[in-house]
Amino acid sequence: MAGTELLTTDEMRRADAAAIAAGMPGLDLMRRAGAAVAARARAMTGRGPILVLCGPGNNGGDGFVAARLLAEAGIAVEVALLGDRAALRGDAAAAAAEWTGPVSEAAGAEPAGFSLVIDALFGAGLSRPLDGAAAALVARVDGSGVPVLAVDVPSGLDGDTGAPRGPVVNATATVTFVRKKPGHLLLPGRRLCGSVTVAEIGIPAAVLAEIGAEAHANGPDLWGAAFPRLTEESHKYTRGHAVVLSGPAHRTGAARLAARGALRIGAGLVTLLSPTPALPENAAQLTAIMLRPCDSADDLDDTLTDERLNAIVAGPGLGSGAPTRDLVRVATEAGRGLVLDADALTSFAGKADDLVEMIASGDTRAVATPHDGEFARLFKGVTAVPAEGSRLDRARAAAAFLDAVVVLKGADTVIAAPDGRAAINTNGTPWLGTAGSGDVLCGFIGGLLAQGMPPFEAAAAAVWLHAEAGRRHGPGLISEDLPEQMPAVLGALLERLGAV
């Protein structure tokens, strides 16, 4: 998982402090950071003039270093400082002393006419909204139409949440250091940062390991080691058997989408459990997926006496209310891999404590996959799960409350485990915004659970693969297309993992 870590602003401060305590001078770290900014600036524009806006802290120090290096490379540079140069302290003051050119007042800086603005005003640790001269300067930068390179994060952006703290710079590109921060990936921060470059500045890997970051960027480097591989001895019974609960007649399509997803992602067998009146409707559209009648929680209990049925998908098109809660109770007591989506979550609106008790009743490997509306309904009134704030914090709180993996779906989907691990997905696409897309996703998760992937890794892998399928198909995507993209997507993944 090396390289996937996301560092909070506090974790980055601790990493800096640990590196300095181990003998790395802070000014050397700043010089390396400034050199990375200068290199990125030269890649963005080979000509001047460049306006470097420096703030009163270490972010401004990085800007002074970048300005010096750009000037030494023969590029016209102007530096403007927000605040009093005499008030600079520590490494920032030392970096400013190495800049021998003039320094103007940033409060009066006019970005128009420059080829690039370097935003080194405020970094990720900003704790209050920008106001006064700083807010007015940000407005002029954003209104100028000049490309902006942000240092660490665009000024005004919360590096932990991706939320603006009042006025915020809308950057063309961002250079950050050591690792990305959650705010680089969470919306709207992802959009406000533009393309993000991560620069190594000499902080040892051992320091990062000691920090123990628990948030990650989602991708194969995070879960690839746990992804199922086939051997010469593999057969359908070794690849798991997923079951999907179907809704009533005329509401069966969502469950079939989930079942198709589970089969395409590699489950050896998939059975759709259908109410008897819906059997003809389902049978007319199933071939490789098996079909069995299931009219009640008792029927489900009888079916699950077959221990080979090792993963259950419940929710898509299932219907809301007491009968669904009874089905979930049986599914949780069975102690299998379990995906709860849609109606299986909405049925517990106002009854989240009941769902917690059910999950705790069996040795269940549960994954809940709410979108924002389902999340709000399920956790309304639950004080342990905040209704507002960072998606990362809310998903983590929900996972801890349920004692289950939570996939909080959206353009910046967050996957969170009860132990605090979390992943933010980055390869999503608007083409996935179509009816039934989430049903296929929960089928993908169920199919990976059936093959033995742990819940957190299965959920993270399914989210990434789901997005890759959407990106590969592109315009015109409908949910039925997603499972059919999986052979190509899986082929590319397994080649990347060295498994083919």
Side-chain angles (χ1 to χ4, degrees):
M1 298 193 305
T4 67
E5 306 98 333
L6 302 173
L7 296 180
T8 65
T9 54
D10 179 65
E11 288 168 342
M12 188 65 224
R13 279 192 292 267
R14 287 162 51 199
D16 280 339
I20 292 169
M24 173 71 73
L27 185 57
D28 284 358
L29 294 174
M30 185 171 287
R31 286 172 176 153
R32 293 178 182 182
V37 174
R40 185 71 180 96
R42 292 184 66 180
M44 292 177 69
T45 176
R47 60 183 178 85
I50 296 175
L51 174 62
V52 182
L53 299 175
C54 295
N58 284 347
N59 203 245
D62 297 340
F64 276 108
V65 173
R68 174 176 59 80
L69 294 174
L70 289 167
E72 290 173 356
I75 297 175
V77 177
E78 294 187 24
V79 174
L81 174 64
L82 191 66
D84 184 357
R85 187 168 184 173
L88 296 175
R89 294 289 181 267
D91 296 330
E98 294 177 349
W99 167 254
T100 58
V103 178
S104 63
E105 289 283 347
E110 290 292 344
F114 287 88
S115 66
L116 179 71
V117 172
I118 294 178
D119 165 26
L121 292 169
F122 300 98
L126 185 70
S127 59
R128 58 179 177 79
L130 299 181
D131 57 14
L137 177 57
V138 165
R140 291 199 301 276
V141 169
D142 284 347
S144 70
V146 177
V148 178
L149 174 60
V151 178
D152 193 18
V153 299
S155 291
L157 186 73
D158 188 312
D160 290 338
T161 69
R165 288 185 174 274
V168 62
V169 169
N170 193 339
T172 310
T174 297
V175 175
T176 193
F177 312 109
V178 187
R179 294 291 185 270
K180 291 180 180 178
K181 297 176 176 63
H184 291 125
L185 304 186
L186 293 168
L187 289 170
R190 185 193 305 175
R191 182 180 65 253
L192 293 166
C193 289
S195 62
V196 180
T197 301
V198 179
E200 293 294 344
I201 57 174
I203 292 180
V207 167
L208 296 181
E210 188 171 338
I211 294 293
E214 293 187 314
H216 297 264
N218 190 30
D221 290 342
L222 177 63
W223 39 260
F227 198 80
R229 271 80 161 173
L230 299 182
T231 68
E232 292 180 354
E233 292 80 21
S234 297
H235 52 79
K236 64 184 178 183
Y237 294 111
T238 63
R239 298 175 68 184
H241 190 157
V243 295
V244 179
L245 305 184
S246 171
H250 311 301
R251 291 192 61 188
T252 59
R256 286 197 303 275
L257 286 169
R260 183 76 172 178
L263 192 64
R264 271 297 191 193
I265 209 163
L269 301 107
V270 177
T271 295
L272 191 68
L273 301 182
S274 170
T276 298
L279 284 171
E281 184 177 318
N282 279 318
Q285 303 202 46
L286 298 178
T287 304
I289 295 165
M290 296 179 287
L291 184 62
R292 291 180 60 171
C294 180
D295 291 304
S296 67
D298 287 341
D299 288 348
L300 177 60
D301 196 25
D302 291 341
T303 299
L304 293 178
T305 57
D306 184 348
E307 295 186 357
R308 294 174 298 180
L309 308 177
N310 64 338
I312 306 164
V313 177
L318 195 55
S320 298
T324 291
R325 290 195 294 273
D326 287 340
L327 290 168
V328 171
R329 173 182 52 77
V330 170
T332 54
E333 289 173 350
R336 316 292 165 83
L338 175 63
V339 186
L340 298 173
D341 182 53
D343 291 340
L345 298 174
T346 300
S347 292
F348 287 91
K351 301 177 182 294
D353 288 336
D354 293 347
L355 181 58
V356 171
E357 291 179 10
M358 289 180 188
I359 290 172
S361 68
D363 186 20
T364 302
R365 297 173 293 127
V367 179
T369 60
H371 55 56
D372 285 323
E374 291 159 349
F375 188 97
R377 288 191 291 272
L378 177 60
F379 296 110
K380 184 178 181 180
V382 177
T383 57
V385 181
E388 298 180 352
S390 164
R391 288 173 63 80
L392 181 60
D393 291 344
R394 288 188 289 129
R396 277 176 159 158
F401 177 76
L402 290 178
D403 196 22
V405 171
V406 169
V407 177
L408 180 53
K409 297 182 293 190
D412 50 353
T413 294
V414 176
I415 305 98
D419 60 9
R421 289 178 297 158
I424 304 172
N425 204 53
T426 61
N427 67 333
T429 169
W431 303 120
L432 291 172
T434 184
S437 174
D439 303 323
V440 177
L441 173 61
C442 68
F444 285 167
I445 299 171
L448 292 176
L449 289 174
Q451 293 172 80
M453 278 192 89
F456 176 73
E457 287 79 3
V463 167
W464 189 87
L465 290 165
H466 182 253
E468 283 295 294
R471 291 164 66 92
R472 180 177 287 268
H473 189 285
L477 173 74
I478 60 174
S479 55
E480 288 95 324
D481 298 321
L482 291 167
E484 307 322 304
Q485 291 295 318
M486 204 44 50
V489 171
L490 286 174
L493 171 65
L494 292 171
E495 183 175 356
R496 175 174 172 173
L497 297 177
V500 293

